[in-house]
């Protein structure tokens, strides 16, 4: 762990916050062009009766849809273009394809960044995580509910579909915060419905099937990435009085060190600890930070194979300062 303070990091990372317009445009062109090309071939294959070929093509399509979401993600942070209007309008357009209402998600995600690693401010924009004491105080029925919620088949199976197809249709957590969250979620739903209707009218049912499966796969990838970025052995959590933003960023977010191909397909989001240190850095400049600040490479680092162990983690043990599994909880007595 580096000894730099939050103020020092703010100064050190400031040069990386400037987006490069030409690079941003190329990233959009490559991502959207690849996604639409794969979808087009998959739609044709589906209509021609080659259903298995169409289904196989949803796998690469899912990764490019994930990249599209990460462009929207950076737009939400105001980091993809120099102009706010460009960020907002590109983010809104992307949101129709990612099924993620732009303004609503941006506000929820901002809360996540402002509270990451803070045990007293858990809530919107994060995976629900209970402490050992909180879980112990639950009734048997509610314990069962939490265990089901944290089960991998629910977390990475049913959960992504439920989140993107149902939960994001209404502004949960912001339902009494005025009209803007409602316009964002309902407007996004109407735009998605209009787009789906147009596809069916122009091409047929094939695009709906292909796009639906693509979205399911992309949602699962996204939930897995978000989980590993904040649910890992050695993760930092602290109560309000002891919580520090820079520690919440560096030790409360992982460096998910993926192989080069996966790193590119997931738009460097695995360099998540740096992203939390400075969310205004475009994703394509995050590798520059690791190149210039090599001391950050091993901070909160998780490799691909060891990351699968994170799926068993479910409770935060404040006494030991670490996430534990339900099996470890039983040993506590």
């Amino acid at each position: 762990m580096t000894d730099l303070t939050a103020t020092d990091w703010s100064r050190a990372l400031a040069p990386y916050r400037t987006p490069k317009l030409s690079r941003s445009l190329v990233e959009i062109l490559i991502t959207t062009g690849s996604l639409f090309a794969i979808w087009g071939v998959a739609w044709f294959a589906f209509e021609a009766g080659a259903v298995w070929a169409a289904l196989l093509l949803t796998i690469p399509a899912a990764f490019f849809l994930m990249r599209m979401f990460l462009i929207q993600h950076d737009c939400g942070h105001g980091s993809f273009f120099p102009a706010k209007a460009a960020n907002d309008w590109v983010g809104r357009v992307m949101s129709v394809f990612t099924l993620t209402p732009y303004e609503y998600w941006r506000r929820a995600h901002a809360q996540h960044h402002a509270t990451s690693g803070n045990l007293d401010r858990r809530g919107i924009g994060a995976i629900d995580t209970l402490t050992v004491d909180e879980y112990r105080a639950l009734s048997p029925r509610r314990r069962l509910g939490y265990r089901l919620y944290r089960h991998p088949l629910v977390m990475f199976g049913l959960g992504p579909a439920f989140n993107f197809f149902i939960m994001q249709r209404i502004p949960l957590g912001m339902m009494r915060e005025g009209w803007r969250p409602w316009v964002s979620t309902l407007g996004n739903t109407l735009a998605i419905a209009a787009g789906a209707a147009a596809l069916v009218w122009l091409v047929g049912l094939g695009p709906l099937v292909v796009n639906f499966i693509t979205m399911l796969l992309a949602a699962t990838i996204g939930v897995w990435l978000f989980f590993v970025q904040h649910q890992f052995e050695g993760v930092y959590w602290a109560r309000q009085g002891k919580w520090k933003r820079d520690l919440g960023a560096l030790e409360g977010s992982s460096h998910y060190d993926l192989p080069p191909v996966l790193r590119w397909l997931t738009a460097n989001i695995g360099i998540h600890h740096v992203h939390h240190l400075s969310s205004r850095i475009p994703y394509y400049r995050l590798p520059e930070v690791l190149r210039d600040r090599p001391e950050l490479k091993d901070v909160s680092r998780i490799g691909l194979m060891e990351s699968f162990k994170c799926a068993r983690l479910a409770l935060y043990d404040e006494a030991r300062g670490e996430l534990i599994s339900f099996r470890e909880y039983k040993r506590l007595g």
Side-chain angles (χ1 to χ4, degrees):
M1 173 61 191
T2 176
D3 293 328
L4 292 182
T5 66
T7 301
D8 293 332
W9 276 122
S10 181
R11 293 170 181 164
L13 299 181
Y16 303 95
R17 293 177 188 146
T18 305
K20 302 174 181 178
L21 180 58
S22 59
R23 177 65 183 274
S24 294
L25 293 175
V26 167
E27 290 289 327
I28 290 176
L29 181 63
I30 290 174
T31 300
T32 58
S34 299
L35 176 62
F36 296 152
I38 294 170
W39 267 347
V41 174
W43 298 344
F44 177 81
F46 190 94
E47 295 297 327
V51 176
W52 282 108
L55 294 180
L56 284 174
L57 285 169
T58 63
I59 298 174
F63 279 99
F64 282 104
L65 184 58
M66 182 68 207
R67 277 181 64 87
M68 183 179 284
F69 172 78
L70 290 167
I71 291 174
Q72 176 186 336
H73 166 271
D74 274 19
C75 287
H77 283 295
S79 64
F80 209 68
F81 294 103
K84 182 180 184 301
N87 282 303
D88 289 344
W89 281 108
V90 169
R92 291 185 185 111
V93 172
M94 297 290 183
S95 73
V96 179
F97 298 95
T98 64
L99 309 190
T100 306
Y102 177 70
E103 277 84 5
Y104 167 65
W105 175 86
R106 180 178 62 178
R107 292 180 64 184
H109 193 64
Q111 291 187 40
H112 161 67
H113 269 259
T115 60
S116 182
N118 190 325
L119 280 172
D120 292 320
R121 299 185 66 190
R122 288 165 285 167
I124 296 175
I127 292 171
D128 290 342
T129 305
L130 296 181
T131 68
V132 167
D133 290 339
E134 289 167 345
Y135 178 74
R136 187 176 286 136
L138 294 179
S139 66
R141 182 176 62 84
R142 294 187 65 188
R143 284 191 193 182
L144 176 61
Y146 183 73
R147 288 182 72 97
L148 288 174
Y149 167 76
R150 297 292 299 212
H151 193 283
L153 290 178
V154 175
M155 182 68 67
F156 310 114
L158 298 175
F162 181 75
N163 180 56
F164 284 90
F165 288 103
I166 298 177
M167 289 185 66
Q168 301 221 48
R169 299 311 101 210
I170 56 175
L172 292 174
M174 300 182 192
M175 298 177 74
R176 298 182 179 180
E177 295 186 22
W179 57 270
R180 294 182 185 277
W182 286 98
V183 168
S184 178
T185 52
L186 297 180
N188 182 252
T189 299
L190 289 174
I192 292 166
L199 277 177
V200 172
W201 182 66
L202 290 170
V203 184
L205 289 175
L208 283 190
V209 176
V210 169
N211 290 20
F212 177 77
I213 296 175
T214 300
M215 186 62 215
L216 284 178
L217 293 175
T220 300
I221 294 168
V223 170
W224 170 254
L225 288 171
F226 188 73
F227 184 91
V228 174
Q229 287 158 3
H230 297 287
Q231 306 272 321
F232 57 94
E233 292 183 350
V235 67
Y236 170 88
W237 286 88
R239 292 292 178 182
Q240 177 67 33
K242 297 182 179 180
W243 179 80
K244 294 183 179 180
R245 179 195 169 277
D246 52 336
L247 289 179
L250 281 173
E251 297 183 357
S253 307
S254 67
H255 172 202
Y256 194 16
D257 195 3
L258 294 168
V261 172
L262 289 178
R263 190 183 313 140
W264 185 84
L265 286 171
T266 56
N268 301 315
I269 197 62
I271 310 175
H272 209 62
H273 59 328
V274 177
H275 168 65
H276 265 259
L277 270 179
S278 183
S279 61
R280 293 296 297 272
I281 299 175
Y283 68 67
Y284 52 78
R285 301 202 67 181
L286 290 172
E288 295 178 40
V289 178
L290 292 187
R291 180 197 65 198
D292 298 340
R293 308 298 302 231
E295 68 270 26
L296 289 172
K297 290 183 179 180
D298 292 326
V299 176
S300 302
R301 181 191 172 278
I302 304 173
L304 177 61
M305 298 310 296
E306 64 183 299
S307 70
F308 297 116
K309 299 177 183 177
C310 297
R312 64 184 176 82
L313 301 175
L315 296 165
Y316 187 72
D317 186 348
E318 290 188 76
R320 291 157 55 180
E322 61 184 12
L323 281 170
I324 64 173
S325 65
F326 287 118
R327 182 174 297 179
E328 291 171 304
Y329 168 79
K330 287 182 179 179
R331 298 195 194 110
L332 295 178

mmCIF file of all heavy atoms in Angstrom, residues 215-236:
data_model
loop_
_atom_site.group_PDB
_atom_site.id
_atom_site.type_symbol
_atom_site.label_atom_id
_atom_site.label_comp_id
_atom_site.label_asym_id
_atom_site.label_seq_id
_atom_site.Cartn_x
_atom_site.Cartn_y
_atom_site.Cartn_z
ATOM 1 N N MET A 215 -28.017 -9.792 -24.018
ATOM 2 C CA MET A 215 -28.164 -8.968 -22.823
ATOM 3 C C MET A 215 -28.003 -9.798 -21.560
ATOM 4 O O MET A 215 -27.353 -9.357 -20.596
ATOM 5 C CB MET A 215 -29.528 -8.283 -22.833
ATOM 6 C CG MET A 215 -29.726 -7.285 -21.696
ATOM 7 S SD MET A 215 -28.556 -5.921 -21.763
ATOM 8 C CE MET A 215 -28.284 -5.625 -20.011
ATOM 9 N N LEU A 216 -28.551 -11.007 -21.533
ATOM 10 C CA LEU A 216 -28.401 -11.872 -20.368
ATOM 11 C C LEU A 216 -26.934 -12.181 -20.097
ATOM 12 O O LEU A 216 -26.465 -12.119 -18.957
ATOM 13 C CB LEU A 216 -29.173 -13.176 -20.570
ATOM 14 C CG LEU A 216 -30.696 -13.125 -20.426
ATOM 15 C CD1 LEU A 216 -31.283 -14.500 -20.713
ATOM 16 C CD2 LEU A 216 -31.101 -12.655 -19.035
ATOM 17 N N LEU A 217 -26.209 -12.526 -21.159
ATOM 18 C CA LEU A 217 -24.783 -12.839 -20.997
ATOM 19 C C LEU A 217 -23.998 -11.605 -20.554
ATOM 20 O O LEU A 217 -23.152 -11.687 -19.654
ATOM 21 C CB LEU A 217 -24.218 -13.380 -22.313
ATOM 22 C CG LEU A 217 -24.739 -14.743 -22.774
ATOM 23 C CD1 LEU A 217 -24.177 -15.085 -24.152
ATOM 24 C CD2 LEU A 217 -24.370 -15.832 -21.770
ATOM 25 N N ALA A 218 -24.268 -10.464 -21.180
ATOM 26 C CA ALA A 218 -23.559 -9.235 -20.816
ATOM 27 C C ALA A 218 -23.865 -8.830 -19.381
ATOM 28 O O ALA A 218 -22.977 -8.379 -18.639
ATOM 29 C CB ALA A 218 -23.947 -8.104 -21.775
ATOM 30 N N ALA A 219 -25.121 -9.003 -18.962
ATOM 31 C CA ALA A 219 -25.500 -8.664 -17.590
ATOM 32 C C ALA A 219 -24.764 -9.550 -16.591
ATOM 33 O O ALA A 219 -24.305 -9.075 -15.546
ATOM 34 C CB ALA A 219 -27.006 -8.809 -17.413
ATOM 35 N N THR A 220 -24.651 -10.832 -16.911
ATOM 36 C CA THR A 220 -23.938 -11.751 -16.025
ATOM 37 C C THR A 220 -22.468 -11.378 -15.921
ATOM 38 O O THR A 220 -21.886 -11.371 -14.829
ATOM 39 C CB THR A 220 -24.080 -13.200 -16.538
ATOM 40 O OG1 THR A 220 -25.471 -13.547 -16.564
ATOM 41 C CG2 THR A 220 -23.337 -14.175 -15.625
ATOM 42 N N ILE A 221 -21.855 -11.062 -17.061
ATOM 43 C CA ILE A 221 -20.453 -10.626 -17.056
ATOM 44 C C ILE A 221 -20.306 -9.372 -16.205
ATOM 45 O O ILE A 221 -19.381 -9.246 -15.386
ATOM 46 C CB ILE A 221 -19.961 -10.350 -18.493
ATOM 47 C CG1 ILE A 221 -19.935 -11.642 -19.307
ATOM 48 C CG2 ILE A 221 -18.561 -9.718 -18.467
ATOM 49 C CD1 ILE A 221 -19.747 -11.415 -20.800
ATOM 50 N N GLY A 222 -21.226 -8.431 -16.391
ATOM 51 C CA GLY A 222 -21.157 -7.173 -15.650
ATOM 52 C C GLY A 222 -21.298 -7.357 -14.161
ATOM 53 O O GLY A 222 -20.552 -6.756 -13.373
ATOM 54 N N VAL A 223 -22.255 -8.184 -13.745
ATOM 55 C CA VAL A 223 -22.443 -8.431 -12.316
ATOM 56 C C VAL A 223 -21.231 -9.131 -11.733
ATOM 57 O O VAL A 223 -20.783 -8.820 -10.620
ATOM 58 C CB VAL A 223 -23.733 -9.253 -12.073
ATOM 59 C CG1 VAL A 223 -23.806 -9.731 -10.626
ATOM 60 C CG2 VAL A 223 -24.960 -8.413 -12.410
ATOM 61 N N TRP A 224 -20.671 -10.087 -12.474
ATOM 62 C CA TRP A 224 -19.474 -10.771 -11.981
ATOM 63 C C TRP A 224 -18.324 -9.791 -11.792
ATOM 64 O O TRP A 224 -17.640 -9.806 -10.758
ATOM 65 C CB TRP A 224 -19.054 -11.886 -12.936
ATOM 66 C CG TRP A 224 -17.706 -12.453 -12.588
ATOM 67 C CD1 TRP A 224 -16.527 -12.258 -13.240
ATOM 68 C CD2 TRP A 224 -17.381 -13.287 -11.453
ATOM 69 N NE1 TRP A 224 -15.497 -12.902 -12.599
ATOM 70 C CE2 TRP A 224 -15.995 -13.546 -11.505
ATOM 71 C CE3 TRP A 224 -18.150 -13.829 -10.419
ATOM 72 C CZ2 TRP A 224 -15.358 -14.337 -10.553
ATOM 73 C CZ3 TRP A 224 -17.502 -14.620 -9.463
ATOM 74 C CH2 TRP A 224 -16.131 -14.863 -9.527
ATOM 75 N N LEU A 225 -18.099 -8.925 -12.777
ATOM 76 C CA LEU A 225 -17.019 -7.954 -12.660
ATOM 77 C C LEU A 225 -17.226 -7.041 -11.459
ATOM 78 O O LEU A 225 -16.295 -6.794 -10.680
ATOM 79 C CB LEU A 225 -16.928 -7.113 -13.941
ATOM 80 C CG LEU A 225 -16.389 -7.814 -15.186
ATOM 81 C CD1 LEU A 225 -16.556 -6.929 -16.409
ATOM 82 C CD2 LEU A 225 -14.930 -8.200 -14.998
ATOM 83 N N PHE A 226 -18.447 -6.530 -11.305
ATOM 84 C CA PHE A 226 -18.726 -5.639 -10.184
ATOM 85 C C PHE A 226 -18.540 -6.360 -8.854
ATOM 86 O O PHE A 226 -18.033 -5.779 -7.888
ATOM 87 C CB PHE A 226 -20.148 -5.088 -10.303
ATOM 88 C CG PHE A 226 -20.458 -4.023 -9.298
ATOM 89 C CD1 PHE A 226 -19.923 -2.759 -9.423
ATOM 90 C CD2 PHE A 226 -21.279 -4.286 -8.208
ATOM 91 C CE1 PHE A 226 -20.193 -1.766 -8.481
ATOM 92 C CE2 PHE A 226 -21.560 -3.308 -7.267
ATOM 93 C CZ PHE A 226 -21.020 -2.045 -7.407
ATOM 94 N N PHE A 227 -18.955 -7.626 -8.799
ATOM 95 C CA PHE A 227 -18.801 -8.406 -7.574
ATOM 96 C C PHE A 227 -17.327 -8.538 -7.201
ATOM 97 O O PHE A 227 -16.925 -8.223 -6.070
ATOM 98 C CB PHE A 227 -19.418 -9.788 -7.777
ATOM 99 C CG PHE A 227 -19.408 -10.653 -6.543
ATOM 100 C CD1 PHE A 227 -20.479 -10.646 -5.665
ATOM 101 C CD2 PHE A 227 -18.329 -11.482 -6.255
ATOM 102 C CE1 PHE A 227 -20.473 -11.439 -4.524
ATOM 103 C CE2 PHE A 227 -18.311 -12.271 -5.119
ATOM 104 C CZ PHE A 227 -19.391 -12.252 -4.248
ATOM 105 N N VAL A 228 -16.510 -8.985 -8.141
ATOM 106 C CA VAL A 228 -15.088 -9.213 -7.859
ATOM 107 C C VAL A 228 -14.365 -7.911 -7.537
ATOM 108 O O VAL A 228 -13.391 -7.895 -6.780
ATOM 109 C CB VAL A 228 -14.413 -9.932 -9.049
ATOM 110 C CG1 VAL A 228 -12.911 -10.046 -8.852
ATOM 111 C CG2 VAL A 228 -15.022 -11.316 -9.237
ATOM 112 N N GLN A 229 -14.857 -6.820 -8.092
ATOM 113 C CA GLN A 229 -14.215 -5.529 -7.834
ATOM 114 C C GLN A 229 -14.399 -5.047 -6.400
ATOM 115 O O GLN A 229 -13.632 -4.203 -5.932
ATOM 116 C CB GLN A 229 -14.779 -4.480 -8.807
ATOM 117 C CG GLN A 229 -14.294 -4.659 -10.230
ATOM 118 C CD GLN A 229 -15.211 -4.026 -11.243
ATOM 119 O OE1 GLN A 229 -16.209 -3.381 -10.897
ATOM 120 N NE2 GLN A 229 -14.903 -4.203 -12.515
ATOM 121 N N HIS A 230 -15.406 -5.582 -5.698
ATOM 122 C CA HIS A 230 -15.672 -5.091 -4.348
ATOM 123 C C HIS A 230 -15.907 -6.197 -3.319
ATOM 124 O O HIS A 230 -16.177 -5.891 -2.150
ATOM 125 C CB HIS A 230 -16.881 -4.153 -4.363
ATOM 126 C CG HIS A 230 -16.657 -2.922 -5.180
ATOM 127 N ND1 HIS A 230 -15.838 -1.889 -4.761
ATOM 128 C CD2 HIS A 230 -17.104 -2.572 -6.408
ATOM 129 C CE1 HIS A 230 -15.816 -0.956 -5.688
ATOM 130 N NE2 HIS A 230 -16.570 -1.343 -6.699
ATOM 131 N N GLN A 231 -15.826 -7.444 -3.717
ATOM 132 C CA GLN A 231 -16.051 -8.563 -2.810
ATOM 133 C C GLN A 231 -14.875 -9.537 -2.955
ATOM 134 O O GLN A 231 -14.938 -10.479 -3.735
ATOM 135 C CB GLN A 231 -17.365 -9.275 -3.148
ATOM 136 C CG GLN A 231 -18.584 -8.367 -3.183
ATOM 137 C CD GLN A 231 -19.251 -8.214 -1.836
ATOM 138 O OE1 GLN A 231 -19.365 -9.163 -1.061
ATOM 139 N NE2 GLN A 231 -19.741 -7.022 -1.542
ATOM 140 N N PHE A 232 -13.814 -9.267 -2.224
ATOM 141 C CA PHE A 232 -12.616 -10.101 -2.347
ATOM 142 C C PHE A 232 -11.902 -10.166 -0.999
ATOM 143 O O PHE A 232 -12.150 -9.346 -0.108
ATOM 144 C CB PHE A 232 -11.673 -9.535 -3.424
ATOM 145 C CG PHE A 232 -11.243 -8.107 -3.197
ATOM 146 C CD1 PHE A 232 -10.066 -7.798 -2.536
ATOM 147 C CD2 PHE A 232 -12.035 -7.049 -3.648
ATOM 148 C CE1 PHE A 232 -9.675 -6.491 -2.326
ATOM 149 C CE2 PHE A 232 -11.655 -5.723 -3.449
ATOM 150 C CZ PHE A 232 -10.461 -5.453 -2.786
ATOM 151 N N GLU A 233 -11.059 -11.161 -0.860
ATOM 152 C CA GLU A 233 -10.322 -11.323 0.397
ATOM 153 C C GLU A 233 -9.398 -10.130 0.614
ATOM 154 O O GLU A 233 -8.654 -9.733 -0.280
ATOM 155 C CB GLU A 233 -9.515 -12.623 0.365
ATOM 156 C CG GLU A 233 -10.385 -13.870 0.385
ATOM 157 C CD GLU A 233 -9.561 -15.145 0.418
ATOM 158 O OE1 GLU A 233 -8.323 -15.064 0.236
ATOM 159 O OE2 GLU A 233 -10.152 -16.228 0.616
ATOM 160 N N GLY A 234 -9.451 -9.572 1.812
ATOM 161 C CA GLY A 234 -8.636 -8.411 2.134
ATOM 162 C C GLY A 234 -9.280 -7.085 1.790
ATOM 163 O O GLY A 234 -8.651 -6.032 1.935
ATOM 164 N N VAL A 235 -10.549 -7.100 1.367
ATOM 165 C CA VAL A 235 -11.223 -5.857 1.005
ATOM 166 C C VAL A 235 -11.355 -4.937 2.221
ATOM 167 O O VAL A 235 -11.482 -5.387 3.351
ATOM 168 C CB VAL A 235 -12.624 -6.164 0.416
ATOM 169 C CG1 VAL A 235 -13.544 -6.752 1.468
ATOM 170 C CG2 VAL A 235 -13.250 -4.922 -0.209
ATOM 171 N N TYR A 236 -11.306 -3.645 1.951
ATOM 172 C CA TYR A 236 -11.379 -2.628 3.007
ATOM 173 C C TYR A 236 -12.824 -2.230 3.269
ATOM 174 O O TYR A 236 -13.568 -1.870 2.356
ATOM 175 C CB TYR A 236 -10.581 -1.393 2.569
ATOM 176 C CG TYR A 236 -10.751 -0.172 3.447
ATOM 177 C CD1 TYR A 236 -9.940 0.027 4.561
ATOM 178 C CD2 TYR A 236 -11.709 0.810 3.151
ATOM 179 C CE1 TYR A 236 -10.075 1.162 5.350
ATOM 180 C CE2 TYR A 236 -11.849 1.944 3.929
ATOM 181 C CZ TYR A 236 -11.029 2.112 5.039
ATOM 182 O OH TYR A 236 -11.171 3.233 5.815
#
